[in-house]
Structure formats: structure tokens, C-alpha cells
Amino acid sequence: MWKRIGLSVLGLVVTWLLLFSGQLLVAKAATDITANTTGLNAPSKIEEQTGDNEWTEVALNSKLEEGQNYRLTYSWSIADDVMVTDGDTASVTLPTTAAHGYVSFPVKTKTLPTTTVGNVELQNDKSSAGTITFNNELASTNVGRSGEMTFQVTGTSDSTNDNSGSTPIITKNGWVTSYNSDGIPEEVVWNIAFNSENKDLGTVTLTDDIGGNQTYVGPVRFHSRIQFQWIRLI
């Protein structure tokens, strides 16, 4: 099983097709519209990273293996005639074996100039649910609201399909935790999983070199067998 050691940036792309149908200006309280959506409860496609910029589709019931990068695609829509106004929310369910950092991305229309119609937020690493919070930009349409989201995550499940019969001694992945005002990644967290099978390796020195255009801001935190480092991109 090919294992990717590098930066796993959680990415999000949302594409919308908007068909306007009259003005829906009746005020209402913010509500959870998840029950009026389709495609948000599970990915419609899962791809495993098998090389540089190379992704291979895997079964939808696959467990996301520890230390491996995956791309999750959601094809989703909002039911017609459902009013969507400021503060309404919808939940996005991620696989329980997906890991990620806190990330927040705008939901934008596909057509130019783009319009922000809401925001997607994932609260913390290994959370299996995200939230889309809409603003009032969709209040004037009630049909044709469909889109696609793509998340890049890291797996957490123990490897059971590796032909070698064991998991890697070291895996390293990371995720972006903040962006500057231009939407460019500004800070990233790296995590290193070392000796996940608790083998007797004797005396070991583990050295982690910081890559170019990065500066260490700390701290290093140890959680069980995983090391976290906060790095600022420069």
C-alpha cells in the first residue's frame, strides 16, 4: 500500500447552480434544513492518494487507513420550495475514520462574479460532522440549488489491507488551520504517527526537518503516539 508522507491540506470546493424563481422575502427563524437536503450524509465518491497528484477511487464503505490521504466528494442539493435564509444550517457527515483540523471555508456560487451564500465549518480533528451555515443570499431562489464539495482528509483506521501485514513505522501528515485575507494558507499543523504497533525498536532518534517557506512557531504536543507541531508558512 503506497503511503503518502507530506502535507494533507484539507480542501473544499463548492459549486452551485442557481436558478432564480421569484422573491421569497418572508422572514423566518433560523432552522436546521438538513432533512431537506440530499447527499450530505455520506460521500458520493472516495479517492485514495496513490501518488503525487494521483488519486484512485475506492469503495464507499472503505475504512480510511491511518496515515493515508483521501479525497471525499459530496454531490448534494437542497429540496425545491424550501426557503433558505440567514442563519439556516445543514450538517455534513464525514466518515468516522477521517481526521482533519479546524477549517472554515465559504460556500460560493459557480458563476462569475461569485457570491458567498454560506460557510462550511469543521470544528476539530476527527469530528465526524461539519456544518454549513447559510446567509440570506439564497432567500430569492427556491429551485436548482445543488452543488459539490470536496474534502481532503487523513485516515485514522488501522491498516488491514496492507499486503505486508503491518502498518508503517512513521507517517506524517498535516492540515491548514488558518488563511490570510487573500485565502492563502498561513499556518499548518503537522502530525507524526510513530511506531503505531508498539514494536520494540530499541534506541531510536526521530528527526523532523521543517520544509522551505515554513517557520516553527510551536508548541510540540504529544497525544498518545502522535506528535503535533504548529508551523507558520512564510
Side-chain angles (χ1 to χ4, degrees), residues 105-127:
F105 281 101
V107 180
K108 294 184 177 182
T109 59
K110 179 181 180 180
T111 55
L112 296 175
T114 61
T115 301
T116 298
V117 300
N119 195 72
V120 178
E121 194 171 38
L122 298 172
Q123 290 296 332
N124 52 58
D125 186 41
K126 297 186 180 179
S127 170

Side-chain angles (χ1 to χ4, degrees), residues 4-11 49 55 67-71 98-101 103 125 151-155 172-177 179 187-191:
R4 170 78 171 160
I5 299 177
L7 175 62
S8 172
V9 180
L10 181 149
Q49 188 169 17
W55 301 86
Q68 182 71 359
N69 297 334
Y70 294 88
R71 190 162 61 186
H100 53 81
V103 177
D125 186 41
F151 296 91
Q152 189 169 320
V153 300
T154 303
K172 180 179 179 180
N173 290 277
W175 54 81
V176 175
T177 57
Y179 297 79
E187 193 167 89
V188 63
V189 173
W190 288 100
N191 78 67

